[in-house]
Amino acid sequence: MTVTSNRAYNFNAGPSALPLEVLQKAQAELVDFKETGMSVMELSHRSATFEAVHNEAIARLRKLYDIPENYEVLFLQGGASLQFTMIPMNFLAQDQKASYIQTGAWSEKAFKEAKFFGTPVEAASTKANNYKNIPTVEEIQVEQNAAYVHLTSNNTIFGTQWKTFPTTGDVPLIADMSSDILSKKVDISNFAMIYAGAQKNLGPSGVTVVIIRKDFLEKANPNIPTMLKYDTHVANNSLYNTPPTFGIYMLGEVLKWVEEQGGVDTIEKRNEEKAKLIYDAIDQSNGFYYGHATEDSRSLMNITFRVADEALEKKFLAEAKEAGFVGLNGHRSVGGCRASAYNSVPVETCQALADFMVKFQQDNQ
């Protein structure tokens, strides 16, 4: 099996695949962006040329994701990991509680950071079965008068994803959507805040998108350091300090690519098609392969699975690597294999993996 056009079959969990068309455009513009005689990486973030890039990216995200006018859109730094701290710092007082739904490693880390500021309380957890599923609505117990409810919409390590989100009433709902943002339609109005690292579905690493409702923003603690206030970045259109200019440029180009594909509806259908190819190879293998996640919680973004025979699993990963597949090793806490089929991963790449899986099974039974 050869790699088409010398491009790897990239299943990395993040940083992950980017659209080839976007990479080629960035390559063409790298040295001289819009006849400025400079790379976009050399432009001042205060220049009109870069501000146009910045504002176009915000406008495209608003349009593609149907973000209402009563929400701010920010481009920050520090990844989702910094948001784990910024959120409780801004919205959780020492005498308050916040409800955290535990579905994997990243929600655990968010919970840990909240302890520095107030009292995080588990609203539900599936840790007991190694995070194989998403909690049911009946299992979720939101703390009375909670400052907010926090969840992780897709779990990269364990391969689970929320199909529908809980209704939290008057309690603000916050979602870490780092690994499935823009992969499907979402009703933004159900959330007080959404945040996501860009490096899986939106662009390269270095940019963190924050979508935050204005009335929720008004509840933020004003007595915290300037750089850690959301208000600071809202007031300065995310340009208070030097932003990751190249990352924002690339994010804008990826959003343009999503538009050209037909928008989020088309991307969602394509993601369902891609995931089905690989899940079918698992489900039709008669136990040769088996998934980590329960069927009702399976992620379209991160497909986690094992080969029933441990020795064959090592052989599978070795031969897959030789065949040009990259990033298929599962996380150490789950083991096995993981195929991350984010927005920019082509259908052909997922088909190639499904074909490889079927052939490997035929050759090794």
Side-chain angles (χ1 to χ4, degrees):
M1 187 179 295
T2 58
V3 184
T4 304
S5 301
N6 296 319
R7 293 282 291 167
Y9 295 126
N10 186 353
F11 288 103
N12 277 326
S16 56
L18 289 165
L20 179 59
E21 301 95 318
V22 170
L23 293 170
Q24 289 171 332
K25 184 176 181 185
Q27 181 184 46
E29 295 182 332
L30 188 64
V31 175
D32 187 2
F33 180 70
K34 294 190 180 298
E35 299 182 347
T36 59
M38 294 177 284
S39 169
V40 71
M41 291 185 284
E42 299 175 292
L43 295 174
S44 167
H45 65 293
R46 305 294 183 195
S47 68
T49 305
F50 178 75
E51 284 204 51
V53 170
H54 185 91
N55 291 333
E56 282 176 19
I58 292 173
R60 278 202 166 85
L61 184 58
R62 281 190 175 279
K63 181 181 177 182
L64 282 167
Y65 227 22
D66 293 327
I67 300 173
E69 286 301 313
N70 63 322
Y71 285 75
E72 301 285 357
V73 176
L74 302 174
F75 296 151
L76 305 182
Q77 299 177 63
S81 295
L82 181 57
Q83 294 305 304
F84 298 163
T85 300
M86 281 184 69
I87 289 165
M89 181 179 281
N90 278 265
F91 299 113
L92 182 61
Q94 287 185 344
D95 60 351
Q96 285 183 307
K97 295 179 180 180
S99 293
Y100 280 72
I101 302 173
Q102 301 288 58
T103 53
W106 301 108
S107 57
E108 285 183 356
K109 290 181 179 182
F111 185 90
K112 179 182 177 182
E113 294 303 303
K115 291 179 180 179
F116 289 104
F117 304 97
T119 305
V121 178
E122 283 190 358
S125 175
T126 55
K127 186 175 184 178
N129 69 353
N130 201 20
Y131 295 127
K132 289 185 177 181
N133 65 290
I134 296 296
T136 63
V137 173
E138 293 74 23
E139 291 174 306
I140 300 170
Q141 300 295 319
V142 175
E143 194 72 19
Q144 188 174 8
N145 299 319
Y148 56 81
V149 177
H150 180 281
L151 61 81
T152 305
S153 61
N154 183 80
N155 302 284
T156 56
I157 292 174
F158 299 94
T160 62
Q161 185 177 30
W162 290 81
K163 305 305 178 185
T164 57
F165 294 105
T167 300
T168 57
D170 293 333
V171 181
L173 179 61
I174 299 175
D176 173 3
M177 292 190 178
S178 291
S179 54
D180 68 349
I181 191 168
L182 218 67
S183 68
K184 61 180 182 176
K185 283 285 189 180
V186 170
D187 186 349
I188 304 297
S189 65
N190 289 335
F191 299 88
M193 179 177 170
I194 291 168
Y195 64 97
Q199 67 273 11
K200 301 174 190 291
N201 272 337
L202 297 178
S205 58
V207 183
T208 308
V209 172
V210 171
I211 303 166
I212 186 166
R213 203 171 63 215
K214 292 178 181 178
D215 67 333
F216 183 57
L217 192 60
E218 292 171 0
K219 300 178 181 180
N221 179 4
N223 300 312
I224 57 177
T226 303
M227 273 296 291
L228 298 173
K229 291 181 184 178
Y230 292 105
D231 278 339
T232 298
H233 303 288
V234 168
N236 292 276
N237 191 30
S238 303
L239 296 168
Y240 176 76
N241 66 319
T242 306
T245 53
F246 186 73
I248 292 169
Y249 157 75
M250 288 293 288
L251 184 148
E253 292 300 323
V254 171
L255 295 176
K256 191 183 297 184
W257 174 83
V258 172
E259 285 181 350
E260 292 167 353
Q261 303 308 298
V264 179
D265 285 334
T266 299
I267 292 293
E268 181 173 3
K269 290 175 184 175
R270 190 180 297 168
N271 285 335
E272 290 171 350
E273 177 188 357
K274 293 186 304 186
K276 186 176 186 301
L277 289 168
I278 301 170
Y279 282 125
D280 280 353
I282 296 168
D283 295 340
Q284 295 169 13
S285 71
N286 295 318
F288 187 87
Y289 304 106
Y290 64 94
H292 175 79
T294 59
E295 193 167 344
D296 61 347
S297 297
R298 283 175 164 177
S299 170
L300 298 182
M301 298 285 95
N302 308 100
I303 300 154
T304 51
F305 63 98
R306 302 295 304 259
V307 181
D309 183 282
E310 188 174 345
L312 280 181
E313 187 171 83
K314 292 179 180 178
K315 183 180 179 184
F316 173 86
L317 289 168
E319 291 189 8
K321 184 177 181 180
E322 289 178 6
F325 294 96
V326 175
L328 285 180
N329 290 72
H331 191 272
R332 60 185 176 277
S333 58
V334 177
C337 314
R338 172 175 57 180
S340 296
Y342 299 123
N343 288 357
S344 300
V345 175
V347 174
E348 294 77 14
T349 295
C350 295
Q351 182 67 67
L353 176 58
D355 291 345
F356 177 84
M357 291 171 69
V358 171
K359 188 173 188 306
F360 183 84
Q361 180 181 356
Q362 292 171 345
D363 293 344
N364 290 277
Q365 277 190 319

